[in-house]
Amino acid sequence: MELTPEYYKALLPFRNSPQTADDPPEIYDDLISCGWISAVGCTTMDYNGSVQVYDNCWAITPQGRMALAAYEKSVKHDADEKRQNRITNYFSAINIGVSVFSFVLGLLADHYFGVVAFVEAFFHLG
């Protein structure tokens, strides 16, 4: 199973220390089934002669640490790729602008006298 943003947020607190909860969230079941966390502590309660064991402390496994690292690397790679695409798009836009400006400047330089004559004729007609 792939580490989703939801699982990442749930797994992140385990990086620093084991987590305990009287009423564990349902997502812990998914994290356990993926092998990203495991129970490291138990509580026993005696109900009318029968002993029940409850998991109440979970710690991250090596697979969980690897999943966190892989997710963070993937997110960082995606962010770097988006940044690189923005820079590339920016330089492409500048390149197009410079090309258009050069084209217009070239036309004006090539046809300078014709443009000046047209402007003079246009304003003297009035």
Side-chain angles (χ1 to χ4, degrees), residues 87-108:
I87 291 170
T88 302
N89 290 343
Y90 176 74
F91 282 119
S92 295
I94 287 175
N95 191 19
I96 291 170
V98 167
S99 297
V100 169
F101 179 74
S102 298
F103 175 74
V104 170
L105 193 60
L107 279 178
L108 287 176

Side-chain angles (χ1 to χ4, degrees), residues 8-89:
Y8 174 77
K9 288 178 186 175
L11 188 58
L12 196 56
F14 290 94
R15 177 182 278 167
N16 298 327
S17 65
Q19 301 294 306
T20 59
D22 291 335
D23 187 22
E26 290 181 19
I27 199 164
Y28 280 19
D29 293 334
D30 294 338
L31 297 177
I32 291 169
S33 68
C34 292
W36 295 330
I37 63 172
S38 63
V40 293
C42 298
T43 299
T44 58
M45 299 189 111
D46 188 4
Y47 290 108
N48 299 331
S50 76
V51 176
Q52 299 209 358
V53 179
Y54 297 95
D55 294 335
N56 69 343
C57 186
W58 298 270
I60 194 166
T61 63
Q63 293 88 353
R65 290 192 188 279
M66 289 179 6
L68 280 176
Y71 181 83
E72 290 167 348
K73 183 178 179 181
S74 171
V75 168
K76 184 180 181 312
H77 179 267
D78 291 347
D80 289 345
E81 193 172 285
K82 284 181 183 178
R83 183 180 56 81
Q84 185 62 39
N85 286 342
R86 279 195 311 267
I87 291 170
T88 302
N89 290 343

